[in-house]
Amino acid sequence: MIIAASTLTRTFGIVAPTLTIFQCLAQANRIRTTGAKGVSLATWILSAFVSQIWFCYGLVFHVTAEVVANIPAITVSLVVAFMAAKSQDKVSRSILGYVAVTVVTILATVAGTFHDLRWVLAVVADASSIIIYLPQLSLVIRPKDLTGVSIISWCLATLTSLGWFVYGILIHQPALAIPSLVMCPSAFIIFVQTARHRLQNNPRTGLQAPIVE
């Protein structure tokens, strides 16, 4: 039983980070081929921030999967953010936003190095993860051109959230599991709305219905 639980933990420790990477790559490919219409730049800057803060969390709290996963996650999130910013002509604003969240990362991590202040790092990591998808969610719940949003990316985001939830439970780290209670339904709504948009505006069917009826 112990061996089975250990194997399950290791499996989710690999699957969740892998899905995170592919989620970003799918969105990067969509922007490359169609542009970034409907893509929330704020969500992808937050994604880079969340990857940074969880990388630091992994170092401080000794969560190996977070350290390993978020090294490439930071890179691919920044690639997506840059591609979206360039497509939307918002590069300067994006750089300022990223610098601001990086400062927050540094301050929270420094606080986390003090035993009595570790909660600060955990709270910042959880709070940032809870809000990460909300900017994109706000764009899909009302009629808008979502051409640049990747359906595959948000399908993977839903699965990724579930993966991190299970992994957090398995390693007894509530801070890893709690954000998924918001992230998973948010990602699923974005996935559904984006899929509906694609179907309703499919040139083969000629449908031009609004995203939200």
Side-chain angles (χ1 to χ4, degrees), residues 98-145:
Y98 179 66
V99 169
V101 296
T102 299
V103 170
V104 174
T105 301
I106 294 171
L107 294 175
T109 303
V110 170
T113 59
F114 297 94
H115 190 271
D116 293 339
L117 293 177
R118 282 188 168 188
W119 63 271
V120 174
L121 179 58
V123 168
V124 172
D126 268 359
S128 60
S129 297
I130 288 171
I131 67 171
I132 183 174
Y133 295 154
L134 298 186
Q136 184 65 66
L137 182 62
S138 70
L139 293 181
V140 304
I141 59 177
R142 60 179 184 271
K144 191 175 183 68
D145 186 351

Side-chain angles (χ1 to χ4, degrees), residues 201-207:
N201 294 277
N202 189 331
R204 294 182 181 178
T205 62
L207 297 176

Side-chain angles (χ1 to χ4, degrees), residues 173-191:
Q173 286 275 355
L176 290 181
I178 290 173
S180 294
L181 297 177
V182 175
M183 293 173 66
C184 187
S186 297
F188 183 69
I189 292 171
I190 294 169
F191 162 68

Side-chain angles (χ1 to χ4, degrees), residues 85-101:
K86 187 175 180 181
S87 177
Q88 298 174 6
D89 196 24
K90 296 179 180 178
V91 174
S92 297
R93 186 188 306 178
S94 300
I95 292 174
L96 290 175
Y98 179 66
V99 169
V101 296

Side-chain angles (χ1 to χ4, degrees), residues 45-60:
I45 292 175
L46 280 172
S47 182
F49 170 51
V50 167
S51 296
Q52 289 179 167
I53 204 75
W54 281 111
F55 171 79
C56 296
Y57 179 96
L59 290 176
V60 172

